[in-house]
Amino acid sequence: MRAMWSGAISFGLVTIGVRLFSATEEHDFRFHQVHREDGGRIRYKRVCQVCSEEVPYADIAKGYELEDGRMVVLDREDFEKLPISTDRAIEVVEFVPTEEIDPIYFQKSYYLEPDKAAVRPYVLLRTALERADRLAVVKITMRQRQSLAMVRARDDVLVLHTMMWPDEIRAPEFGFLDGEVEVRPQELRMAESLIESMAGTFEPDEFTDDYRDAMAKLVDAKAEGAELPEQPEAEDTGEVIDLMAALERSVAQAKANRSETASPAKKKTAAKTAKKAPAKKSGKSKSA
């Protein structure tokens, strides 16, 4: 992996030199815009709307349009004069309980690797966060942009998650929230039964990207001139209008699915458990 940022975590008088690595990568298909007739790539030119001339990259600046239509042009020197800290530091603001931060704030995830001279304080912070069950709320400046973030311990490393600022979270303004919706007790009990019948332990490796797999088959078939895969017909489950009837059928279907299909990982776990389980002692002794 290639480091995308380097700096230091600072809390109190402790400084931990670290490097930032992206913790995720997308495996989705990347498509190009092409000419349907010959497959040629479509290219775009940077053309000025005022003078209609093509503009070289060196002459391009950033502009912010005001409400009255005026354009404020900002150059690199203007950004460097911003009155914010641009040093390469991850400043710890506070340590908070793990459950206090709503996942809606999370943006991107990064691994933090310590410098060779900072391994000991790095491990110390990681272990202390684990034992205290807390997260570090921090501020970090990347690409001249200050971000709110949090640092947590995950397995043997520290992970940094950039976060949205509070005023960037939209309020859910939906009409139904203004009224009262009645939920019948029997419906609630059946919904709870459905949840219980579908309960499980989250195992990430058990999930696959069906869209990506189907797209790979489609691309391969097109490339080889083979017969294209067809979308399976939707199963007719019958129209269900009554909510209670839908819940009852869902519970029955969930129980049937669970008994018929068990994941390979869970089958292995069950088999191991069965092997490790001690044999039941009989009432008779072998050494009579």
Side-chain angles (χ1 to χ4, degrees), residues 78-86:
D78 297 316
F79 286 99
E80 292 175 351
K81 295 176 182 178
L82 281 172
I84 62 170
S85 173
T86 57

Side-chain angles (χ1 to χ4, degrees), residues 200-207 266:
T201 302
F202 180 60
E203 300 289 347
D205 293 338
E206 293 182 2
F207 295 89
K266 291 181 179 177

Side-chain angles (χ1 to χ4, degrees), residues 7-282:
I9 301 174
S10 62
F11 65 106
L13 300 177
V14 180
T15 300
I16 307 172
V18 293
R19 291 180 294 278
L20 203 68
F21 297 84
S22 179
T24 61
E25 58 182 3
E26 293 185 3
H27 292 162
D28 202 358
F29 281 83
R30 301 292 182 182
F31 294 102
H32 302 293
Q33 288 188 326
V34 298
H35 186 193
R36 189 189 305 275
E37 299 298 326
D38 54 21
R41 289 278 301 273
I42 304 298
R43 300 293 185 184
Y44 291 91
K45 295 182 178 181
R46 297 180 289 268
V47 178
C48 175
Q49 291 183 343
V50 176
C51 64
S52 300
E53 295 290 333
E54 185 174 356
V55 182
Y57 185 78
D59 292 341
I60 295 178
K62 293 187 177 181
Y64 183 83
E65 187 173 0
L66 302 178
E67 292 183 358
D68 59 9
R70 288 181 297 159
M71 187 69 70
V72 179
V73 180
L74 299 172
D75 291 311
R76 181 187 298 272
E77 294 76 14
D78 297 316
F79 286 99
E80 292 175 351
K81 295 176 182 178
L82 281 172
I84 62 170
S85 173
T86 57
D87 58 355
R88 292 183 171 272
I90 299 175
E91 176 192 355
V92 176
V93 180
E94 60 183 355
F95 296 98
V96 302
T98 302
E99 67 275 6
E100 283 193 359
I101 299 183
D102 191 326
I104 197 172
Y105 286 95
F106 296 164
Q107 285 184 312
K108 295 182 179 180
S109 303
Y110 302 91
Y111 289 132
L112 292 170
E113 180 192 31
D115 292 340
K116 290 183 178 180
V119 172
R120 190 163 176 268
Y122 178 99
V123 173
L124 177 64
L125 175 59
R126 183 201 69 201
T127 306
L129 287 174
E130 288 177 337
R131 295 185 62 174
D133 193 21
R134 287 183 177 262
L135 310 171
V137 177
V138 305
K139 289 184 178 180
I140 179 174
T141 301
M142 294 188 295
R143 302 186 186 94
Q144 298 179 323
R145 179 74 169 87
Q146 189 181 69
S147 297
L148 183 66
M150 56 149 275
V151 173
R152 68 182 180 95
R154 182 182 186 272
D155 297 331
D156 294 330
V157 299
L158 292 174
V159 182
L160 181 142
H161 302 273
T162 55
M163 298 167 60
M164 308 290 291
W165 294 97
D167 61 355
E168 295 177 322
I169 305 298
R170 293 177 173 176
E173 299 174 349
F174 304 124
F176 79 93
L177 295 174
D178 298 330
E180 293 185 5
V181 180
E182 182 183 359
V183 177
R184 293 186 295 172
Q186 58 268 35
E187 293 173 341
L188 183 57
R189 287 194 298 270
M190 189 58 66
E192 291 172 343
S193 178
L194 175 58
I195 291 173
E196 183 61 31
S197 65
M198 298 179 67
T201 302
F202 180 60
E203 300 289 347
D205 293 338
E206 293 182 2
F207 295 89
T208 57
D209 188 342
D210 295 336
Y211 171 83
R212 191 178 68 200
D213 293 343
M215 184 59 68
K217 292 179 181 178
L218 176 62
V219 171
D220 290 342
K222 290 280 285 188
E224 300 298 328
E227 182 178 354
L228 300 182
E230 295 185 1
Q231 185 176 10
E233 294 183 5
E235 183 179 352
D236 184 12
T237 57
E239 185 178 3
V240 179
I241 299 176
D242 181 70
L243 177 58
M244 192 66 183
L247 288 169
E248 291 174 345
R249 288 177 56 177
S250 298
V251 170
Q253 184 178 20
K255 290 180 178 179
N257 290 342
R258 172 152 291 191
S259 62
E260 290 177 2
T261 59
S263 67
K266 291 181 179 177
K267 286 182 178 178
K268 289 180 181 178
T269 302
K272 289 180 180 179
T273 304
K275 289 181 180 179
K276 292 180 180 179
K280 292 184 179 179
K281 294 182 179 180
S282 63

